[in-house]
Amino acid sequence: QVQLVESGGGVVQPGRSLRLSCAASGFIFSNYGIHWVRQAPGKGLEWVASIWHDGSNKNYADSVRGRFIISRDNSKKTVYMKMNSLRIEDAGIYYCARGHEVGNSLDYWGQGTLVTVSS
Amino acid sequence: QSVLTQPPSASGTPGQRVTVSCSGSSSNIADNTVNWYQHLPGTAPKLLIHSDNQRPSGVPARFSGSKSGTSASLAISGLQSEDEADYYCASWDDSLDGYVFGTGTKVTVL
């Protein structure tokens, strides 16, 4: 069965960096794009970034462009997101999700990893 | 400040029909498909509707989606207690070159 497992969350000070990982199993990883979506405390879902199946194209939300970097290693079936210059408003639960070309939908999601940004 | 606008809340009694609206623009809903997600806080969001009106395998038939112009709607017929959750519309936005979620609607079963 399709599984996505996030890791790497934790407590970090403003201005510091953190790298999240999304490990996939149960499907042909190299055929699918992967997205990161976050939810700040008490807020709604916010799309953060996405990467194509082969890593050739990456897209970012305006709120993170220039600070976050998405990448993937198809040999390890893992997507990464390096988060630099973290801000208080970057705190929340970060989910990775599989992108499906049908309807450009996110059809499977992980359980999320919590990022806390605090001094 | 999402570009897709939803009402903050909706409610109904068991068995009733509830609709959730999603208002967008020519750069997102009008030119791209709409997807709907169900989310219980603390759990993984679930894809409910894709491609405007298609239900993935396993999603009950009481959930349906529609789209017209720059707006879309999710309908829940025969509301059940387990449908109490947050619902989000989403679409690709050509101007932003990114995926956008709606502001979210909390559905309460009275």
Side-chain angles (χ1 to χ4, degrees):
Chain A
Q1 70 282 18
V2 173
Q3 266 199 313
L4 296 166
V5 179
E6 303 92 339
S7 61
V11 181
V12 62
Q13 292 178 325
R16 303 298 292 265
S17 300
L18 204 61
R19 190 181 80 160
L20 304 183
S21 299
C22 171
S25 61
F27 63 100
I28 302 175
F29 183 71
S30 57
N31 285 355
Y32 291 87
I34 298 292
H35 297 245
W36 285 98
V37 176
R38 68 186 180 185
Q39 184 176 37
K43 304 291 186 181
L45 298 178
E46 179 191 14
W47 176 81
V48 176
S50 64
I51 186 167
W52 279 16
H53 65 98
D54 59 358
S56 62
N57 192 50
K58 305 168 187 179
N59 295 89
Y60 299 92
D62 288 344
S63 57
V64 306
R65 187 175 291 114
R67 299 188 299 122
F68 289 13
I69 301 171
I70 191 171
S71 62
R72 67 189 293 157
D73 185 337
N74 283 350
S75 68
K76 295 183 178 179
K77 299 181 183 179
T78 301
V79 167
Y80 305 97
M81 188 157 72
K82 181 71 182 301
M83 305 187 295
N84 300 313
S85 303
L86 281 163
R87 304 169 180 169
I88 298 290
E89 56 265 32
D90 292 320
I93 300 174
Y94 283 72
Y95 300 96
C96 65
R98 190 179 80 167
H100 200 290
E101 61 182 10
V102 176
N104 209 359
S105 58
L106 308 185
D107 62 352
Y108 287 92
W109 296 63
Q111 292 297 315
T113 187
L114 179 63
V115 173
T116 302
V117 184
S118 172
S119 54
Chain B
Q1 59 278 15
S2 175
V3 298
L4 302 183
T5 303
Q6 300 176 232
S9 63
S11 63
T13 58
Q16 276 191 327
R17 175 184 169 93
V18 169
T19 61
V20 178
S21 62
C22 175
S23 177
S25 69
S26 58
S27 64
N28 42 65
I29 291 178
D31 269 0
N32 296 288
T33 61
V34 176
N35 306 305
W36 289 90
Y37 301 90
Q38 179 189 59
H39 188 212
L40 286 159
T43 68
K46 174 186 176 181
L47 177 64
L48 209 57
I49 298 287
H50 70 82
S51 308
D52 300 336
N53 54 20
Q54 300 299 303
R55 281 179 289 106
S57 174
V59 173
R62 65 178 183 275
F63 293 96
S64 62
S66 63
K67 186 178 86 172
S68 178
T70 59
S71 294
S73 288
L74 171 73
I76 310 173
S77 302
L79 192 65
Q80 298 185 7
S81 58
E82 58 260 38
D83 299 333
E84 191 162 283
D86 297 321
Y87 292 84
Y88 296 87
C89 60
S91 182
W92 189 263
D93 190 291
D94 295 326
S95 295
L96 297 174
D97 201 19
Y99 202 63
V100 289
F101 283 93
T103 49
T105 298
K106 182 175 181 60
V107 170
T108 301
V109 181
L110 301 171

